[in-house]
Amino acid sequence: MTLIEQATKAKAAKYKVALLSTEAKNKGILAVADALEENSTDIISANKIDMANGEKKGLSQGLLDRLKLDESRISGMAEGLRQVVELEDPIGKITEEWDRPNGLHIAKRLVPIGVVGVIYEARPNVTADVFGLCFKTGNATILKGGSDALESNKAIVKIIRDTLVKENLPVDAITLIEDTTRESTNQLMRMNGYVDVLIPRGGAGLIKSVVENASVPVIETGSGNCHIYVDYDADIDMAISVIENAKTQRIGVCNACESLVIHKDIAAKLLPALNAKLREHGVQIFADADSKQYLEGSFDATEEDFGKEYLDYIISVKTVSSVEEAIEHINKYNTGHSESIITNDETNANMFLDGIDASCVYVNASTRFTDGFEFGFGAEIGISTQKLHARGPMGLLALTSYKYTIRGNGQIRK
Amino acid sequence: MTLIEQATKAKAAKYKVALLSTEAKNKGILAVADALEENSTDIISANKIDMANGEKKGLSQGLLDRLKLDESRISGMAEGLRQVVELEDPIGKITEEWDRPNGLHIAKRLVPIGVVGVIYEARPNVTADVFGLCFKTGNATILKGGSDALESNKAIVKIIRDTLVKENLPVDAITLIEDTTRESTNQLMRMNGYVDVLIPRGGAGLIKSVVENASVPVIETGSGNCHIYVDYDADIDMAISVIENAKTQRIGVCNACESLVIHKDIAAKLLPALNAKLREHGVQIFADADSKQYLEGSFDATEEDFGKEYLDYIISVKTVSSVEEAIEHINKYNTGHSESIITNDETNANMFLDGIDASCVYVNASTRFTDGFEFGFGAEIGISTQKLHARGPMGLLALTSYKYTIRGNGQIRK
């Protein structure tokens, strides 16, 4: 089947999925959750092929770990789907309505986006997650997964599609592009009229490529050069605890802290103790000249360091003389993800909240909370770092659009 | 000044404009409105150069009319700005807030988008309109106007910038790209990191080019292949009146009706009378085989006719056997703009409202109401025909994004 044929089927399916009742959608998702567990041996056999290929290819241990599926991870996928069933269905909700002087009644109604294309890397659990979130919101999905997870994805999508057929639901609500060449990705990115939005999920290279090459609207996700600014009067213990958490609790994630900004008046008091704590975790520090004197064993920071998303036990440090300078530095280097200030000065806290240009701006808390579950959205399709449509953790609402429905009795425009 | 230098200045200005109070923004906009009227002779002199060049170049009467500025049109621009001052400022509004079990308080706050790039054709009034809407919402604007209006745009932007300086407001809140080559447009479309959103305003060719070439997020606007479906039991007089209005009240606009879909059971009763009414306006009809018999003097419709936005005294007619078939036909050919059903059958009205994929779906009213003023938004920056961010008439809200502000007391993630 060509990609155009596949996209045509997805487009036909979107009109059907959009009209399903919440009950029908939930029933379908629950059936898929059960089917994944019942057919786990099929998934695991397929995954073994991917794992063997990955080992032969020399994938890193980290990548192999993300690729691997076992009974417990498949149960995790099923559990994730069951949680999505519990969430409120936003589709059909009237968010505003009003009457016009000419008698027209206008209502703004939440509707599905339509066909959602997701381009991702070798994480087969994403396949089930995306299906659950998109189906719950009445969208059809075209998936382009990483080639290293092809057999796993094929097995998962086959089980989902078989279940949709059994449940008498639109089978093309989910479709997997099995051609894992770059050409098929390029074609998908330019399918205006078929695909309503593209969501890339993966590393910076993947996201950059999609942003640069897609003509279909894209929601940019995931890249996070997150800062913590420690103000002149911060609580030292709180600062150390929050920085330790944001840097070391999980290093490979987009909401981890990559750069510290320190007020000069607190440097001498904070940095030696912070250095000791970070060294317990083996964190390397790249420091500017003013902070380096307090950071034994640290390296010289270059301009480049301030713009780097290390995703590693590494952090940069920049010294500033005011909250204004901190805001300017952060707005210059951040990726619009998550930034935090540690302070007891309410005026500075407000300046930081007002002045920082990012999806999530924190006062006295770790940047690691930028996450759909932590926000209480129940699940997320990604974390948007752009300004349009959705920003920050994207829950079910981010998978909706709206339309205006207007009722009259023959009104014409004068 | 290179485009990068210009964009760097716009980016620096966006942080300042974002923090202005509603009062300061309104004061600035009112001062610009006054300055445009006070300096109208400068604008008119500049416009005379554009008009002379346009006549030499052989621009059509329609284009020349759109290009022309006189005292009354300049007052119209000023009046538009004064109306924007009256609108509620959405910036800073908290749209939702909640507490998490760990004590974090999360608030969702409306913020400006940042730098808004607008690419448009030779309509110099757009220059002032865009400034007013963007400045009111705390955005900085980079304008790329059509080359035929260059002198007029330069004069208008100079007056706005001089006023901003006089009022001690960020002058780079508005900047005009004076290099009107295609290369500068191409460069603007790929200025990720500087430009936060691009809004093309103009004909289908301009919009297609921006959608295909931009890597900056785009809001697609304007193209409208709008349908009216007349159901089996429609009120004949209402159908004729609405169709006459939607087709002939103004032909060159995106919310004009371009195609009729007629239930076969009402064709014999409706079409001869409709034909007579449309012929009063000189409307040419391209009809399918089933409707042609009732439409004296009509031409054969081809598949191509159903996908055409004529923007002229021309309309196509398609006959169907059910509301389902009407919905399928419209979803196949529409551009996601405005569609209307004329019916007395409440079930069919609801099927149409649910099933049609468009920004505005009407029951018993003209498609011509899709417009920011008609919706009560007070002004519009365009009409979005895509699914992301904004759909339909875009008022001030469409020029906002949001951020989450999160307050804690040292929370770390477990």
Side-chain angles (χ1 to χ4, degrees):
Chain A
M1 193 161 41
T2 68
L3 194 47
I4 284 282
E5 285 165 348
Q6 237 176 325
T8 304
K9 287 186 173 193
K11 188 176 174 180
K14 84 173 179 183
Y15 297 115
K16 295 180 195 156
V17 189
L19 296 175
L20 293 176
S21 67
T22 302
E23 201 190 349
K25 293 185 286 189
N26 283 342
K27 195 162 164 279
I29 296 170
L30 286 176
V32 166
D34 292 344
L36 289 175
E37 290 184 324
E38 282 157 22
N39 298 283
S40 59
T41 50
D42 292 357
I43 301 176
I44 292 171
S45 313
N47 184 252
K48 281 197 172 131
I49 304 175
D50 286 333
M51 288 294 289
N53 288 338
E55 278 160 17
K56 218 180 294 166
K57 205 174 147 186
L59 291 188
S60 73
Q61 280 309 310
L63 289 178
L64 286 172
D65 179 61
R66 288 176 169 197
L67 179 56
K68 189 182 162 84
L69 292 177
D70 54 23
E71 291 288 349
S72 130
R73 288 189 175 181
I74 292 168
S75 290
M77 284 159 50
E79 202 38 54
L81 290 174
R82 291 184 188 113
Q83 284 174 12
V84 167
V85 168
E86 299 302 317
L87 298 175
E88 197 192 337
D89 181 358
I91 299 303
K93 196 175 154 188
I94 306 290
T95 59
E96 282 175 79
E97 51 188 324
W98 65 98
D99 291 303
R100 296 293 301 152
N102 60 8
L104 287 179
H105 181 80
I106 304 181
K108 189 174 178 180
R109 181 202 289 197
L110 295 185
V111 298
I113 290 179
V115 174
V116 177
V118 180
I119 302 179
Y120 55 115
E121 291 173 341
R123 302 185 66 165
N125 61 309
V126 169
T127 311
D129 287 359
V130 165
F131 165 73
L133 293 166
C134 287
F135 195 75
K136 177 83 185 207
T137 44
N139 293 291
T141 316
I142 299 187
L143 298 173
K144 172 74 171 61
S147 56
D148 294 325
L150 181 61
E151 296 305 322
S152 313
N153 287 335
K154 275 161 69 176
I156 294 167
V157 170
K158 181 178 185 311
I159 292 165
I160 298 175
R161 288 175 57 98
D162 287 351
T163 307
L164 291 175
V165 170
K166 232 178 265 167
E167 296 287 321
N168 207 15
L169 292 165
V171 61
D172 293 309
I174 181 166
T175 165
L176 175 72
I177 300 173
E178 299 187 10
D179 171 1
T180 59
T181 60
R182 189 172 290 264
E183 287 67 46
S184 76
T185 310
N186 286 339
Q187 203 187 338
L188 177 64
M189 292 195 280
R190 305 194 72 82
M191 294 190 99
N192 300 63
Y194 294 93
V195 179
D196 294 291
V197 63
L198 270 183
I199 305 178
R201 286 185 54 162
L206 169 70
I207 289 162
K208 188 160 182 278
S209 157
V210 174
V211 166
E212 284 181 357
N213 297 307
S215 52
V216 170
V218 173
I219 299 182
E220 196 174 343
T221 66
S223 147
N225 185 24
C226 305
H227 297 73
I228 293 176
Y229 166 58
V230 186
D231 204 10
Y232 71 95
D233 69 340
D235 180 295
I236 299 281
D237 290 341
M238 186 196 287
I240 292 175
S241 151
V242 166
I243 293 166
E244 178 192 22
N245 181 258
K247 179 68 259 180
T248 69
Q249 196 237 358
R250 217 173 141 197
I251 55 163
V253 290
C254 58
N255 55 17
C257 177
E258 305 289 4
S259 190
L260 296 180
V261 183
I262 310 285
H263 193 285
K264 66 177 172 35
D265 295 347
I266 204 169
K269 222 163 47 166
L270 170 73
L271 292 177
L274 177 66
N275 195 24
K277 179 56 81 184
L278 291 178
R279 291 179 83 159
E280 285 175 20
H281 296 276
V283 175
Q284 281 190 348
I285 301 180
F286 287 84
D288 67 354
D290 289 335
S291 62
K292 196 159 181 285
Q293 53 182 312
Y294 307 111
L295 292 162
E296 208 192 316
S298 66
F299 303 92
D300 287 327
T302 62
E303 276 298 293
E304 244 181 41
D305 282 301
F306 299 127
K308 254 188 204 161
E309 188 184 6
Y310 297 114
L311 299 171
D312 203 346
Y313 288 101
I314 310 178
I315 200 163
S316 66
V317 182
K318 162 83 182 172
T319 313
V320 295
S321 305
S322 65
V323 66
E324 290 91 338
E325 195 186 338
I327 292 169
E328 199 175 325
H329 174 83
I330 293 171
N331 280 340
K332 183 170 175 191
Y333 290 105
N334 79 347
T335 54
H337 198 294
S338 301
E339 318 298 334
S340 183
I341 182 174
I342 311 296
T343 189
N344 282 307
D345 184 320
E346 186 58 15
T347 305
N348 285 1
N350 283 323
M351 284 185 66
F352 194 83
L353 291 177
D354 291 345
I356 290 289
D357 188 19
S359 72
C360 300
V361 192
Y362 292 83
V363 176
N364 294 332
S366 170
T367 55
R368 289 277 293 115
F369 289 107
T370 299
D371 173 284
F373 287 97
E374 294 293 336
F375 269 50
F377 297 163
E380 69 172 37
I381 188 97
I383 295 174
S384 164
T385 54
Q386 66 173 36
K387 301 283 189 74
L388 284 199
H389 188 70
R391 217 174 173 200
M394 296 189 288
L396 291 181
L397 258 189
L399 290 169
T400 69
S401 179
Y402 57 83
K403 69 178 165 196
Y404 294 104
T405 60
I406 307 106
R407 284 173 176 274
N409 48 21
Q411 279 83 348
I412 61 173
R413 186 159 168 189
K414 308 292 177 197
Chain B
M1 192 160 47
T2 68
L3 194 47
I4 284 281
E5 286 163 348
Q6 234 176 329
T8 304
K9 288 188 172 192
K11 188 177 174 179
K14 84 173 178 181
Y15 298 116
K16 296 179 195 156
V17 189
L19 297 175
L20 294 176
S21 68
T22 302
E23 202 190 347
K25 293 185 287 189
N26 284 342
K27 195 162 163 282
I29 296 170
L30 286 176
V32 167
D34 292 344
L36 289 175
E37 289 183 327
E38 283 156 21
N39 299 283
S40 60
T41 50
D42 293 358
I43 301 176
I44 291 171
S45 312
N47 185 251
K48 280 197 174 135
I49 305 174
D50 286 335
M51 289 295 289
N53 288 337
E55 277 160 18
K56 219 180 294 165
K57 206 174 147 186
L59 291 187
S60 73
Q61 280 310 312
L63 289 178
L64 287 171
D65 179 61
R66 287 175 171 199
L67 178 57
K68 188 182 164 84
L69 292 177
D70 53 23
E71 290 288 350
S72 129
R73 286 189 177 182
I74 292 168
S75 290
M77 283 160 51
E79 203 37 55
L81 290 173
R82 292 184 187 114
Q83 285 174 14
V84 168
V85 167
E86 299 302 317
L87 299 175
E88 197 192 340
D89 181 358
I91 299 304
K93 196 174 155 189
I94 305 288
T95 58
E96 282 175 78
E97 51 188 326
W98 65 98
D99 291 302
R100 295 293 301 152
N102 60 7
L104 287 179
H105 180 80
I106 305 181
K108 189 174 178 180
R109 182 202 287 196
L110 294 185
V111 298
I113 290 178
V115 175
V116 177
V118 180
I119 302 178
Y120 56 116
E121 291 171 342
R123 301 185 66 165
N125 61 309
V126 169
T127 310
D129 287 359
V130 165
F131 165 74
L133 294 167
C134 287
F135 196 75
K136 176 83 185 206
T137 44
N139 293 291
T141 316
I142 298 187
L143 297 173
K144 173 73 171 66
S147 55
D148 294 326
L150 181 61
E151 296 305 322
S152 314
N153 286 335
K154 276 161 67 176
I156 295 167
V157 170
K158 182 177 184 312
I159 294 165
I160 299 175
R161 287 174 59 97
D162 287 350
T163 308
L164 291 175
V165 170
K166 232 177 268 170
E167 297 287 321
N168 206 15
L169 291 165
V171 61
D172 293 309
I174 182 166
T175 166
L176 175 72
I177 299 173
E178 297 187 10
D179 170 1
T180 59
T181 60
R182 189 172 289 265
E183 287 67 45
S184 75
T185 310
N186 286 339
Q187 203 187 340
L188 177 65
M189 292 195 280
R190 308 194 71 81
M191 294 191 98
N192 301 64
Y194 294 93
V195 180
D196 293 292
V197 63
L198 270 183
I199 304 178
R201 286 185 54 163
L206 169 70
I207 289 162
K208 187 161 182 275
S209 158
V210 175
V211 166
E212 284 181 357
N213 297 308
S215 51
V216 170
V218 172
I219 298 182
E220 196 173 343
T221 66
S223 146
N225 185 24
C226 305
H227 297 74
I228 294 175
Y229 166 58
V230 186
D231 204 11
Y232 71 95
D233 68 342
D235 180 296
I236 299 282
D237 289 341
M238 185 196 289
I240 291 174
S241 150
V242 167
I243 293 166
E244 178 193 21
N245 180 257
K247 178 69 260 179
T248 69
Q249 195 240 357
R250 215 172 143 198
I251 54 163
V253 289
C254 57
N255 55 18
C257 176
E258 305 289 4
S259 190
L260 297 179
V261 183
I262 310 286
H263 193 285
K264 64 177 174 37
D265 294 349
I266 204 169
K269 224 162 45 167
L270 170 73
L271 292 178
L274 177 66
N275 195 24
K277 178 56 76 180
L278 291 178
R279 291 180 83 159
E280 284 175 22
H281 296 275
V283 174
Q284 281 191 346
I285 301 179
F286 287 83
D288 68 353
D290 288 337
S291 62
K292 195 158 182 285
Q293 54 183 310
Y294 307 111
L295 292 163
E296 209 193 315
S298 66
F299 303 93
D300 287 324
T302 62
E303 276 298 292
E304 245 180 41
D305 282 301
F306 298 126
K308 256 190 204 157
E309 188 183 6
Y310 296 113
L311 298 170
D312 203 345
Y313 288 100
I314 309 177
I315 200 163
S316 66
V317 181
K318 161 83 182 172
T319 313
V320 295
S321 306
S322 64
V323 66
E324 290 91 339
E325 195 185 337
I327 293 169
E328 198 174 327
H329 173 83
I330 293 171
N331 280 340
K332 182 169 175 192
Y333 290 104
N334 80 346
T335 54
H337 198 295
S338 302
E339 318 297 334
S340 182
I341 182 174
I342 311 297
T343 189
N344 283 306
D345 184 320
E346 187 57 17
T347 306
N348 285 1
N350 282 322
M351 284 185 67
F352 194 83
L353 290 177
D354 292 345
I356 290 289
D357 188 18
S359 73
C360 300
V361 192
Y362 292 84
V363 176
N364 295 332
S366 170
T367 55
R368 288 278 292 116
F369 288 106
T370 300
D371 174 285
F373 287 97
E374 294 294 336
F375 269 50
F377 297 162
E380 71 172 34
I381 188 100
I383 295 173
S384 163
T385 54
Q386 65 174 33
K387 302 282 189 76
L388 284 199
H389 188 69
R391 214 174 176 200
M394 295 189 289
L396 291 181
L397 257 189
L399 290 168
T400 69
S401 180
Y402 56 82
K403 69 178 163 195
Y404 294 105
T405 60
I406 306 106
R407 285 174 176 273
N409 48 20
Q411 280 82 350
I412 60 173
R413 186 156 169 192
K414 309 290 178 198

